[in-house]
Amino acid sequence: FGQMRLFDIGTRDVENFIADLESSRSITGKELSDSSQNSIVQVLRNILAEAYRLNDIPENPCLRIPKKVISSRDERPIIPSDFWQKLLDPNNISTIWRGNLLQYTINLLAASTGLRQGEIRALRLCDVYQDHIFVNHTWDRKYGLKEPKYGSRRVVPIPQITLFYILKLVHSLKD
């Protein structure tokens, strides 16, 4: 924004700034990642929202700009279902998973329920029922056990095969 005063920044100026981010480079000379670009835009949004809240500017120029401005450049391919079937086939625990029941069960649980990594790490036996899991916590490296993302406590159905391997894992850990 150069020498522009905060008061003079309009929606078009913000849009131009965002467009310029795509060709910007970091201090190391590498292209800015989509994540970095989105973080920069979010900081700008926060600054302008606070300036508006404090009546330093008559309107927030970011309000008319769509939230998801910069999207990922790389499309991620969908993993073929036959790959997943082979990977999660219990007959392949000894070969693909090298007998690691913990890793197999974690991946089976993630694939069959869509639970997030932190939710799986925070899972307690008291949250596991015959036909569902009650997602009550997530695990954070810094803060430990805490409320799930966006307060999304919920009941998640689980297939019987997933329940079987969760219980098998629990019994193997008790021995």
Side-chain angles (χ1 to χ4, degrees):
F1 298 97
Q3 298 295 319
M4 288 182 80
R5 296 180 313 149
L6 194 59
F7 188 88
D8 296 327
I9 297 173
T11 301
R12 188 163 312 247
D13 299 311
V14 174
E15 287 174 337
N16 290 338
F17 174 79
I18 292 170
D20 289 345
L21 276 178
E22 291 192 21
S23 60
S24 296
R25 302 216 173 259
S26 70
I27 58 173
T28 61
K30 294 167 69 176
E31 270 188 19
L32 289 177
S33 69
D34 294 333
S35 177
S36 294
Q37 291 177 48
N38 282 322
S39 294
I40 291 167
V41 171
Q42 188 56 51
V43 168
L44 177 63
R45 284 180 185 278
N46 292 343
I47 290 169
L48 293 172
E50 184 65 6
Y52 175 72
R53 186 186 72 78
L54 295 172
N55 290 321
D56 291 338
I57 56 177
E59 69 172 21
N60 182 347
C62 291
L63 291 179
R64 287 186 236 114
I65 297 174
K67 190 76 168 167
K68 193 171 187 176
V69 176
I70 301 165
S71 60
S72 179
R73 294 179 200 121
D74 302 325
E75 289 188 22
R76 294 187 178 135
I78 295 175
I79 298 172
S81 62
D82 60 331
F83 173 83
W84 283 111
Q85 289 171 350
K86 183 178 178 184
L87 187 67
L88 298 174
D89 183 340
N91 296 320
N92 293 329
I93 293 174
S94 61
T95 54
I96 293 175
W97 299 98
R98 295 185 184 132
N100 189 327
L101 186 61
L102 175 63
Q103 289 300 316
Y104 172 77
T105 305
I106 289 170
N107 282 278
L108 178 65
L109 181 59
S112 65
T113 63
L115 292 182
R116 298 176 179 101
Q117 180 182 6
E119 293 168 342
I120 292 173
R121 293 182 73 194
L123 193 61
R124 300 170 303 166
L125 193 54
C126 65
D127 297 326
V128 179
Y129 297 86
Q130 290 297 315
D131 61 346
H132 69 277
I133 291 174
F134 182 59
V135 178
N136 199 29
H137 298 96
T138 190
W139 182 261
D140 183 272
R141 274 183 261 150
K142 187 173 182 180
Y143 302 109
L145 206 60
K146 63 180 213 168
E147 185 175 301
K149 193 173 185 177
Y150 308 119
S152 60
R153 287 189 168 99
R154 63 199 184 281
V155 172
V156 178
I158 56 170
Q160 288 301 300
I161 186 93
T162 305
L163 176 65
F164 173 80
Y165 280 99
I166 290 171
L167 297 176
K168 185 174 181 172
L169 178 63
V170 167
H171 292 300
S172 74
L173 295 174
K174 285 183 179 178
D175 296 339

